[in-house]
Amino acid sequence: MKIFEFFKVTKKQRENVQEPKNAKTWLIHGISEFIGTFILTMGLAGLSTVAKNDGTEIEHFFGHPALIGFYAGFGVVGFVLFVFLRWSCDLNPAVTLYRMFNGTNTHRYGIYKMVIQFTSAILTGMLI
């Protein structure tokens, strides 16, 4: 069916699929994914934390909701992508799934990255 031709599932369709070549690169990409997801989760989850005992939230210190968007979009996400994208850091399971389905990354590499993303997010949640 034409509707499913986007999903490259056969070996012939996945001729440009990539994954790290050696164990050192796998480790570097894993550490990059973990630290990048950790920083991203801490930076964005911090927007919903309570800053004082009187219930004042951090959003009130930004002055306007648009400034929160600029902080989240450019400050946190932009910084993390600028620093960690060099090591193939997806930071998001949706991006990893997209790269697996369109034939950019192998399934083994995608599952590796998603396990690290979930582990990092759970650890960050436990710390918050």
Side-chain angles (χ1 to χ4, degrees):
M1 293 179 70
K2 286 231 180 243
I3 193 169
F4 295 111
E5 68 184 26
F6 169 78
F7 300 107
K8 297 176 172 61
V9 292
T10 64
K11 190 165 186 129
K12 181 182 174 190
Q13 291 173 320
R14 298 177 65 82
E15 60 190 25
N16 295 324
V17 71
Q18 295 178 351
E19 72 178 24
K21 304 292 183 224
N22 55 28
K24 179 182 175 186
T25 309
W26 277 87
L27 184 64
I28 290 170
H29 285 198
I31 291 171
S32 169
E33 194 76 49
F34 185 85
I35 294 172
T37 303
F38 183 84
I39 292 171
L40 182 68
T41 308
M42 280 296 239
L44 296 180
L47 291 175
S48 63
T49 58
V50 175
K52 291 184 178 179
N53 289 335
D54 65 357
T56 306
E57 295 179 5
I58 287 179
E59 283 94 345
H60 299 283
F61 296 113
F62 278 97
H64 194 274
L67 295 175
I68 297 169
F70 282 115
Y71 166 75
F74 293 113
V76 177
V77 177
F79 169 75
V80 172
L81 286 176
F82 180 76
V83 172
F84 293 102
L85 197 58
R86 187 254 179 264
W87 295 287
S88 182
C89 192
D90 294 345
L91 305 172
N92 187 337
V95 175
T96 305
L97 281 174
Y98 171 77
R99 290 184 179 181
M100 282 171 48
F101 288 147
N102 80 351
T104 305
N105 292 340
T106 63
H107 294 297
R108 179 173 68 159
Y109 186 45
I111 291 169
Y112 170 74
K113 291 172 93 170
M114 284 193 293
V115 166
I116 290 174
Q117 292 164 0
F118 282 116
T119 304
S120 179
I122 289 169
L123 177 67
T124 307
M126 289 169 48
L127 289 173
I128 291 176

